[in-house]
Amino acid sequence: MGKVVEKVVAEVVSEEAEWWGLLSDGLFGNRKGRSVIEAAAMMVDSAHAAWTDGNITGVLLRDIKAAFPSLAKGRLVNRMKAKHIDGDHIRWTESYLSERTVEMIMEGNAMTRHPVEAGVPQGSPVSPILFAIYTSGLIKLVEDYVSAEGHSFVDELGWVATGSNVNQVVTKLEQCAGIIIEWASRRGQPFDTAKTDAALFTRRRGHKQHLQLKLTAKIRVGDSFIQFNKEATRRLGVWMDVHLTFKEHHNRWMKKARAAEARHLTLTKT
């Protein structure tokens, strides 16, 4: 019964968030008509539009570390109030996230229960929309200060910047990184450094050595430097190469298909 109530609340709150324009156009996932395919397609369209103007496109990809468990209830409630979410839905959310405990069971032995002061439950139908509302201001915050596009799919964030040369792209992506790092630090939500990637998309032109020089450029992200991937970059299940030919994506999926076919043939012979 609890899951049914959570699903109903998720649908109602999602409709409210859409009605008030709370969710950015660049926010995908758990929204009607905004699937992972649309998220990847928007990034590709941005690159193609830049190419038409004779520019290149760079992308900085980051993941929020322990996204759902680190959500602060007080900040979420305050944001819901500020964005005119219905009072009953806010009170339900407060109740839903209050007086929760966690208990570990190892080899049949239950450990001491501990109170849970932060986060939203993994696997709950209502958690994605609550997290989307919680982070909804981040994309607009960056886009107001930097000439770049923000895309997000739950806890995966992507920043797309265009420029006439790689230095312009790097500068914009570094500005994006600085803003999101400050945003995250104020909320106690660090980014997963190991899952930080950068990709450069450019037309198939020029000498290969010239392209390699572009790919050696580095983006300062906090205390680290991120270099553009020389190979295809995986974004939301799609492998994107520097020229957006999708050959790597095609090859990987064909390899999986052939492996599946081989297993099927093996089963039919036994």
Side-chain angles (χ1 to χ4, degrees):
M1 185 64 183
K3 290 292 183 183
V4 174
V5 173
E6 291 171 27
K7 187 173 182 180
V8 171
V9 173
E11 291 180 357
V12 173
V13 173
S14 294
E15 290 176 359
E16 248 192 307
E18 296 285 1
W19 172 260
W20 288 107
L22 177 57
L23 307 179
S24 167
D25 288 341
L27 195 152
F28 295 84
N30 299 290
R31 297 178 69 187
K32 294 179 180 179
R34 291 182 175 272
S35 68
V36 63
I37 299 300
E38 279 78 19
M42 180 176 281
M43 186 173 293
V44 174
D45 287 345
S46 297
H48 285 166
W51 294 354
T52 301
D53 295 332
N55 295 323
I56 60 175
T57 300
V59 179
L60 178 65
L61 306 174
R62 305 214 70 187
D63 277 18
I64 297 178
K65 194 173 185 179
F68 282 13
S70 60
L71 184 149
K73 182 182 72 174
R75 286 184 180 273
L76 170 63
V77 170
N78 288 338
R79 181 148 187 82
M80 293 176 76
K81 290 178 179 177
K83 294 301 178 180
H84 312 293
I85 298 296
D86 184 88
D88 289 339
H89 300 152
I90 295 175
R91 286 186 288 274
W92 183 91
T93 301
E94 284 187 286
S95 175
Y96 176 65
L97 298 179
S98 299
E99 299 180 5
R100 295 187 299 133
T101 60
V102 61
E103 180 184 42
M104 292 184 63
I105 299 178
M106 300 180 65
E107 298 182 353
N109 299 315
M111 305 298 179
T112 304
R113 286 179 176 268
H114 294 280
V116 177
E117 304 294 341
V120 289
Q122 295 274 7
S124 168
V126 78
S127 293
I129 184 58
L130 294 181
F131 183 78
I133 292 173
Y134 185 71
T135 60
S136 61
L138 177 57
I139 290 179
K140 187 176 186 302
L141 175 66
V142 176
E143 291 180 343
D144 283 348
Y145 286 93
V146 185
S147 179
E149 293 179 8
H151 301 165
S152 71
F153 193 92
V154 191
D155 60 345
E156 297 183 36
L157 304 177
W159 306 100
V160 183
T162 63
S164 60
N165 57 65
V166 71
N167 291 332
Q168 287 184 4
V169 171
V170 167
T171 297
K172 291 178 182 180
L173 293 179
E174 287 182 341
Q175 290 172 341
C176 292
I179 294 172
I180 63 176
I181 288 172
E182 183 181 354
W183 177 92
S185 64
R186 291 200 304 266
R187 289 160 178 76
Q189 284 191 304
F191 286 95
D192 192 337
T193 304
K195 293 183 178 180
T196 299
D197 267 320
L200 190 69
F201 303 133
T202 183
R203 280 188 186 276
R204 186 190 298 275
R205 62 172 61 176
H207 194 275
K208 185 176 181 180
Q209 185 177 2
H210 180 61
L211 173 60
Q212 291 300 323
L213 288 174
K214 291 181 180 178
L215 294 175
T216 58
K218 295 181 179 180
I219 306 166
R220 185 179 182 88
V221 180
D223 297 327
S224 304
F225 286 92
I226 307 299
Q227 190 170 317
F228 291 113
N229 290 336
K230 291 182 174 61
E231 306 297 332
T233 300
R234 187 173 184 269
R235 168 66 171 166
L236 302 174
V238 180
W239 290 90
M240 301 180 183
D241 57 273
V242 68
H243 300 301
L244 292 177
T245 64
F246 297 100
K247 286 184 178 179
E248 180 67 19
H249 182 79
H250 174 269
N251 292 339
R252 285 177 178 268
W253 279 103
M254 287 301 298
K255 184 178 179 180
K256 289 184 178 181
R258 293 190 184 99
E261 181 185 27
R263 289 193 297 269
H264 175 73
L265 292 174
T266 301
L267 290 173
T268 56
K269 290 179 181 179
T270 57

